[in-house]
Every structure is written in C-alpha cells, then in structure tokens.
Amino acid sequence: MSRDMRWGLAGLAVVLIAAGAVLIWQGSEHRHAEVIPWGLLVPGYVFFALMATGSSIVNSIYTVFGYKGPNGEYEKIIKLGVFFSLVTIIPAWIMILMDLSKGPLAAMNMFIHTKEGFSLFFQPRSAIAWMALLYMIFALTLLIELIYFIRSEVSEKLRKVKSLELAIALAVLTATVLVHSNLGQVFGNVMAIPAWYGPHMAVYFIISAIIIGAAGQALFLLPFTQSLGVREFTTWYYSRILMISLPILAFIKGWMVINSYYSPASWEAYREVVSTPNFYVFEVILLLVLPFIAATVAYYRKNTALLILAALSLVVAGFVDKYDLIIHPQIAFIHSYLGKVGHVHYAPAEFEIMISTGAVLVYIALLILGVLLLPLKPGEKPKTLYIFK
C-alpha cells in the first residue's frame, strides 16, 4: 500500500469517526419514547454482538482446538480474525448504551452512582447489567489475546509458551459462552413476550452468531487473502463453516416456528412474521437457501465470488432476521393485550437511525485504523502503540 493511500485512508477514518460521533450525540439529544420498549437499537446491538462473538468462536478452532490449515494458512490470518472480533463489539456497545441511557455520559451510570456522592454501582439481579459486564470481560480477553499474538510475533520466548496461549484462548471462549448464555436469558426470561420465553433463544443466538460471525470475518479477510497467499484456503474454510451451520440454523428456526404454532400466545407473534414478504425473501431465501447453495458450490469449486455472495446475503438477511425476531413479538404482545385499541405500527425513529448510522461509521473507521496502525499480517513488526512492542 502506497504512502499516499495510507494517509488517504487515515484521513477517511478520522472523518468517519467525527461524523459518527456527531450523529450519535445528536441522536441521543433528540431521543424520545417509542411505541415499543426495544426499538431499532436493540436488534442492531444483538446483530453486532452476535457477529463479534461468532467471529470469536470461529477463531477458537485455531486458538483452542489447534487447527492451522493444511499448510499453516490459519497462522497468517488469526491476528486479523481476533482484531475483527474485538472491533465488532464496539458498535454493539454504542447502540445498547445509547438505548439504555439518556446520553453518552449517562451510560456510565450503569456502573457508577453519583446521585448521593461517588460510588460504584452494580445491580447483580439485572441480566442487562450482567450483559454489560460480560461484554467488557469478553472485550478485555480479546484485547489480551490480540496483544499476545502481536508480541509473540517478535518474541521467540513468548511464542514457545503454548500453555499461556491456550489459557488466553480458553478465557476468550469461556467469556463468549457466558455472553451467549446471558443474552439468551435476557430474552428467554421475558414472560410478557411469549415468542421469546424459553431456552430456545440461547441456542438460536449461538448458531446465528457462528454464521454471522463467519460471514462477517470472511468479508473482512478477503481483501488480504491474495497478498497472504491464503485465498483458496479462506474460500474453502469459511464456505465449509457456512455449509455445515446453515442446515442447523434452518432446523432450529423451523422448530421455533412449528413449536409456536401450538402455543396461541407465541403464534400471535410468529404469525405476524411469517405473513410478511420479509420472512420469505430475507429469512428463507437470503438467510437459508441462497447462502447454503452458494457456500456449497464455493466449497467444492473453491469459488471466492460465491463465498462473497453467501457472506453478503447472510450479513444483510441476518440483520433483518434479528429485527423481525425482536420487533414483531413486542407488537404482537400489545395487540393481544389491548385488543383493537392496541393496534400499533412501529418504524425506526430518526434518533435511532442517527445513532445506528453513527455507530456503523465509527466501526468502519476503527477497522481501517486498525489495519493501518497494527501489525496484523505475518512478519509485520510493531511500530506504534507501546503495549504491542
């Protein structure tokens, strides 16, 4: 990459961060009550949280289980994969904190109480409070793992301490599992929303995370695979993950719909979902059918273009799927509880769109800056940031 291009990308990243910060701040200043408790920001948070944790699960195939590829190809992309997982959690943080608080500075009140003097504050009976804490632990373990991989690149002594590498990897995987368990609990314990209530939400989130995480990571890695000499391996590897995981997702999703049919309260929500074109276009064709066919052909023919098609389809349809799963059950509950007078229509408010857009702009900027500043490719030596030297 030429010097001029690097400076151009750095300038673009700064502009994106500034624009994102303005949108987030302005959106938080103009927020107001919506017709449902959890609007656009919650599906956005869930989507990016699942992509981050799913990407981490994909990384664990190398870090925990030791798979390096036929010719050690995975060693060339693992730092990029860990970095992607770490940065992808940031837009999830932004969205959920802006949704739970009255502004960027008020978000700290989840942990710091200042009303009657400064004191630490944590509500252990709140699954949401645990959610914030577990995601902080998840991000911290990922940061430690990234620092280890970068420093071990230039330290032969550190590279030989395999037990430390495994311990860090196990800590990351444990934090990932705990995050998914708690996220499933946040939704699965809401008795007021029958479509969510039950253990199925945790299972659905885990398999969704693996698929969305693999798709997102594949799209992030593909621009680097040619120069790293791992394009064929990357196409084969990520296509295989999608090819194996998608039938499992189809089974669980089908089971959730069929099971709800025999529960009148749950069916109120799922009937609203399956009666819309979104369900058949996005959640059946673009989420299940098209990606499975594209990934299968990509796997056997090592066709990178088809992997890109499958990954793009999954990223777009994956968000729509989470949006429908979270928004429609809330609307159905209002309809069933209030009857005809409870008919509501939800559309994302302007402040929700501003905050979500701002979070995505910051996310893109951080991905760019990370690639420019950090030694994420094989053989690159740390040049900036003391903790990586």
Side-chain angles (χ1 to χ4, degrees):
M1 187 184 297
S2 67
R3 184 181 180 87
D4 290 342
M5 181 176 290
R6 293 179 66 89
W7 277 107
L9 288 173
L12 174 62
V14 172
V15 171
L16 289 176
I17 290 176
V22 170
L23 285 172
I24 293 167
W25 190 276
Q26 288 298 312
S28 67
E29 290 292 310
H30 293 87
R31 62 176 299 158
H32 54 78
E34 280 296 319
V35 295
I36 57 175
W38 293 350
L40 175 66
L41 294 176
V42 176
Y45 146 72
V46 170
F47 173 76
F48 280 105
L50 292 182
M51 184 178 288
T53 53
S55 172
S56 179
I57 292 173
V58 171
N59 292 336
S60 70
I61 296 175
Y62 170 86
T63 58
V64 176
F65 301 103
Y67 177 71
K68 298 182 179 181
N71 299 298
E73 294 92 343
Y74 217 141
E75 292 180 307
K76 299 179 181 180
I77 60 175
I78 186 59
K79 288 187 289 185
L80 288 164
V82 173
F83 170 73
F84 177 78
S85 302
L86 176 61
V87 174
T88 304
I89 201 63
I90 293 176
W93 271 351
I94 294 172
M95 291 184 194
I96 197 62
L97 290 177
M98 291 302 98
D99 186 67
L100 294 174
S101 62
K102 295 181 179 179
L105 298 180
M108 72 178 73
N109 289 337
M110 290 187 67
F111 299 103
I112 300 174
H113 187 62
T114 57
K115 188 175 182 179
E116 298 176 358
F118 179 85
S119 63
L120 294 177
F121 175 77
F122 182 74
Q123 188 60 259
R125 293 181 62 84
S126 169
I128 296 294
W130 277 107
M131 200 81 261
L133 178 61
L134 288 172
Y135 274 119
M136 290 176 64
I137 294 173
F138 170 71
L140 179 61
T141 55
L142 278 177
L143 179 60
I144 293 172
E145 186 171 52
L146 181 62
I147 293 172
Y148 170 82
F149 278 122
I150 290 176
R151 297 191 65 170
S152 64
E153 185 81 23
V154 293
S155 172
E156 183 68 26
K157 182 178 179 181
L158 189 62
R159 192 159 51 245
K160 289 181 178 179
V161 187
K162 290 299 180 182
S163 57
L164 177 60
E165 179 180 339
L166 180 59
I168 295 172
L170 286 172
V172 173
L173 185 59
T174 301
T176 303
V177 173
L178 289 175
V179 161
H180 281 297
S181 301
N182 196 70
L183 182 61
Q185 179 190 12
V186 167
F187 287 91
N189 282 351
V190 181
M191 296 180 66
I193 310 293
W196 296 344
Y197 186 67
H200 61 278
M201 294 295 286
V203 178
Y204 187 69
F205 282 148
I206 288 176
I207 190 63
S208 294
I210 294 172
I211 291 171
I212 297 172
Q217 193 177 109
L219 291 174
F220 173 68
L221 291 176
L222 281 171
F224 308 101
T225 55
Q226 190 67 39
S227 61
L228 296 177
V230 295
R231 164 96 19 127
E232 187 174 303
F233 167 77
T234 304
T235 301
W236 172 83
Y237 177 71
Y238 288 97
S239 296
R240 186 172 187 176
I241 291 176
L242 298 180
M243 184 178 67
I244 294 172
S245 302
L246 281 167
I248 301 174
L249 177 65
F251 169 78
I252 296 173
K253 190 170 187 63
W255 174 78
M256 288 167 62
V257 174
I258 294 171
N259 187 61
S260 71
Y261 181 77
Y262 296 96
S263 172
S266 296
W267 184 241
E268 286 289 328
Y270 279 99
R271 181 173 57 189
E272 186 169 330
V273 172
V274 300
S275 63
T276 62
N278 266 9
F279 179 76
Y280 300 97
V281 174
F282 287 96
E283 299 184 39
V284 175
I285 297 175
L286 295 182
L287 182 66
L288 300 174
V289 179
L290 176 63
F292 177 73
I293 295 173
T296 302
V297 178
Y299 171 75
Y300 285 107
R301 297 189 178 181
K302 296 183 175 59
N303 189 314
T304 304
L306 286 176
L307 172 61
I308 294 173
L309 174 63
L312 286 172
S313 180
L314 286 168
V315 168
V316 174
F319 173 76
V320 175
D321 174 54
K322 304 304 168 289
Y323 181 91
D324 288 346
L325 182 65
I326 294 171
I327 300 299
H328 285 295
Q330 297 179 79
I331 295 174
F333 168 74
I334 296 174
H335 289 175
S336 63
Y337 188 75
L338 298 178
K340 293 182 179 179
V341 297
H343 182 75
V344 297
H345 172 72
Y346 169 78
E350 183 179 352
F351 80 89
E352 293 175 313
I353 296 174
M354 291 174 68
I355 293 173
S356 300
T357 304
V360 172
L361 292 180
V362 171
Y363 172 55
I364 295 171
L366 292 177
L367 288 176
I368 293 172
L369 287 176
V371 171
L372 292 177
L373 298 176
L374 300 179
L376 300 176
K377 300 175 185 177
E380 286 187 338
K381 300 289 173 69
K383 298 177 182 178
T384 55
L385 301 181
Y386 176 76
I387 60 173
F388 296 115
K389 291 185 177 181

